[in-house]
Amino acid sequence: MEDQPDPPNRGPVPKSVANLPHQVREELTRRLRRNKGAFREEDVQVVERPLLKRAVSASALGNCMEWFDFGVYSYLAATIGKVFFPGASPAAQVISSFATFAAAFVVRPLGGLVFGPLGDRIGRQKVLATTMIMMAVGTFAIGLIPSYGTIGIAAPVLLLLARMVQGFSTGGEYGGATTFVAEYSPDRRRGFLSSWLDFGTFTGYALGSALVTVLNLLLSDTEMLSWGWRIPFLIAGPLGVIGLYMRLKLEESPAFQQQLDEHEKSLAQESTGDELRTIVKDHWRPLLICMGLVLLYNVTNYMVTGFLPTYQTETLNRSSGSADVLVLIGMVWIVLLITFLGRLSDRVGRRPLYGVSAAAMIVLAVPSFLLIKADGTWPPIFGVLILSTLLACFAAPSAATLPALFPTAVRYAAMGIGFNFAVAIFGGTTPLVTEALISLTGDDLMPAYYLMLAGVIGLVTVRFLPESSQVPLNGSQPMVGSQEEQQELISTSTDLYQVEGQYSGVR
């Protein structure tokens, strides 16, 4: 047997390379090999701080407005049932109200199928401005619809139409907003910056629920049924104008602009149908991962925000005031936690945060609902805080994780499909299905079992989730937040290219 030649003399690995997270080193190595050299200045995108701040704030405001409406509708579900379905029993009124709520989610995939490919073709900013104004119009219209006692069956029909306008616009909202913010964010801080999107989400919900809580305290039941319930919906009009103004002042994301510069001709020639077929055929695996994570996040989300207020009043027979305050405490807790958890996902990774939280959901769902059911003040608060903490752990990394699953050319459309189909099937139906299961079985722990099932599905999904923390987006240049970070990355790429060259010399 012939002696093998001695391996080349490898020097110590530079600290800049040794400190790179495993997934970052793998991705940078792949890009350096493709470039056949270290990065140059034109290979690394520097994001201007004012543009980044404006992109994050305008996107977060859109989510804030969307969830302001959601919080209002959730807290007013019983009232809306009485206004639009007065002839039904109390239980049927709640179920009818939640059915109208769920109907908006039926058209969300349609909105995703329309706005997603459009966002990949004409730009994220234009579509996000369109969804903002549609959402405002749909919400404002609900506040103007006469009651069933005034116009009869036309009232719930008009409510359904307004909800469907909201659902259609929302189909292009979250996927586009997450795509937009992710494409603007420096790689090292994408989890933190993207978490501000869901900060806006839960701030909007908290503001909506707080407004309803105040109205319930200030107005009598008769006044709320007569006109008080309309006030929160009518506020959406001015909010929509402000949001539209901010979004019209946005510039297109660097990743999308770079793609247009390089692939504008081929992109223009590809039809919407071709893009959708490409997504399903070539990106089915990340599409399923996306849907699994969205299921985990949104079943928990709509259980806590959409179902819990009504669960306390209709199943546990608590006052609407105490139920509203309890869930509001949970929302404020999420708002306080979420950006810290987003920053944590940049440091420890998205997969550990999702995985530990999904496992905790399986273990803690039943104890949480037992605490919520218990008498006294503190046990229900602790139960809601446990569920809210888990929800924050799912929400914080989502806006950074989901867009990273897809390349720039199909990112908006793929998000529109994966996110909205999962939300429509599993998320928006959660209040309706859970309420129906309780009515069918008489078991008031059905919500906990439902959450446990979502935790199991989420845990399986995380097993196949690629780690994307600090990794450049697929199809985009590495993104940094300053000239200093740009030079640091160029220097690191030079060291890494030399190290990899030493290793590749071994046969």
Side-chain angles (χ1 to χ4, degrees), residues 37-94:
F39 291 142
R40 297 161 296 178
E41 288 191 359
E42 57 266 31
D43 296 323
V44 181
Q45 178 78 43
V46 180
V47 185
E48 297 180 24
R49 189 176 296 272
L51 292 179
L52 175 61
K53 185 177 180 180
R54 195 184 309 161
V56 172
S57 59
S59 300
L61 179 62
N63 267 28
C64 181
M65 178 187 159
E66 174 190 350
W67 277 73
F68 174 86
D69 160 61
F70 176 79
V72 166
Y73 196 100
S74 299
Y75 270 55
L76 290 173
T79 303
I80 289 173
K82 295 174 184 177
V83 172
F84 290 96
F85 308 98
S89 66
Q93 286 177 349
V94 174

Side-chain angles (χ1 to χ4, degrees), residues 23-339:
Q23 71 275 8
V24 177
R25 179 167 176 171
E26 280 192 345
E27 176 62 19
L28 293 184
T29 298
R30 185 184 67 81
R31 293 184 179 223
L32 294 174
R33 287 174 177 171
R34 185 181 62 197
N35 292 346
K36 299 181 179 179
F39 291 142
R40 297 161 296 178
E41 288 191 359
E42 57 266 31
D43 296 323
V44 181
Q45 178 78 43
V46 180
V47 185
E48 297 180 24
R49 189 176 296 272
L51 292 179
L52 175 61
K53 185 177 180 180
R54 195 184 309 161
V56 172
S57 59
S59 300
L61 179 62
N63 267 28
C64 181
M65 178 187 159
E66 174 190 350
W67 277 73
F68 174 86
D69 160 61
F70 176 79
V72 166
Y73 196 100
S74 299
Y75 270 55
L76 290 173
T79 303
I80 289 173
K82 295 174 184 177
V83 172
F84 290 96
F85 308 98
S89 66
Q93 286 177 349
V94 174
I95 291 177
S96 297
S97 181
F98 277 142
T100 307
F101 174 80
F105 291 85
V106 174
V107 298
R108 280 187 68 156
L110 180 60
L113 290 173
V114 172
F115 288 122
L118 199 60
D120 286 329
R121 292 168 65 84
I122 69 172
R124 286 70 161 116
Q125 182 265 350
K126 296 182 180 68
V127 174
L128 286 173
T130 303
T131 59
M132 169 65 75
I133 194 63
M134 286 185 66
M135 197 186 321
V137 169
T139 305
F140 188 75
I142 292 178
L144 299 177
I145 299 173
S147 67
Y148 186 94
T150 303
I151 61 174
I153 192 64
V157 171
L158 290 174
L159 175 65
L160 179 63
L161 290 175
R163 287 292 298 162
M164 293 179 78
V165 169
Q166 291 176 319
F168 186 78
S169 64
T170 305
E173 170 63 30
Y174 188 81
T178 55
T179 295
F180 192 77
V181 173
E183 290 179 347
Y184 251 111
S185 300
D187 300 329
R188 292 180 182 177
R189 304 175 65 213
R190 184 169 294 116
F192 170 67
L193 292 169
S194 296
S195 68
W196 284 96
L197 198 62
D198 286 283
F199 174 91
T201 292
F202 291 100
T203 299
Y205 184 91
L207 290 174
S209 58
L211 178 58
V212 174
T213 301
V214 171
L215 289 174
N216 279 326
L217 292 174
L218 296 179
L219 302 178
S220 66
D221 291 343
T222 302
E223 289 172 327
M224 280 296 294
L225 282 172
S226 176
W227 54 268
W229 68 271
R230 299 180 184 276
I231 294 174
F233 292 105
L234 296 177
I235 291 175
L239 286 178
V241 172
I242 296 171
L244 179 64
Y245 172 77
M246 292 185 65
R247 287 194 171 178
L248 287 175
K249 293 180 69 66
L250 290 175
E251 294 185 16
E252 202 45 86
S253 72
F256 179 77
Q257 192 58 53
Q258 177 193 351
Q259 171 203 274
L260 278 186
D261 293 342
E262 298 176 358
H263 307 296
E264 187 170 6
K265 184 176 179 180
S266 62
L267 189 68
Q269 292 174 345
E270 186 176 34
S271 68
T272 297
D274 289 338
E275 182 178 3
L276 295 177
R277 281 190 291 271
T278 298
I279 292 170
V280 174
K281 178 183 176 182
D282 298 342
H283 304 284
W284 61 268
R285 185 184 179 98
L287 205 59
L288 289 177
I289 294 172
C290 175
M291 294 181 71
L293 294 179
V294 172
L295 182 153
L296 175 65
Y297 170 18
N298 279 275
V299 166
T300 311
N301 191 3
Y302 291 107
M303 186 70 75
V304 174
T305 60
F307 179 70
L308 208 51
T310 304
Y311 174 76
Q312 294 182 78
T313 57
E314 302 303 315
T315 303
L316 304 182
N317 297 315
R318 289 178 178 154
S319 68
S320 60
S322 63
D324 292 350
V325 170
L326 189 60
V327 177
L328 181 57
I329 289 172
M331 294 304 98
V332 172
W333 178 241
I334 292 173
V335 169
L336 294 175
L337 276 182
I338 196 163
T339 57

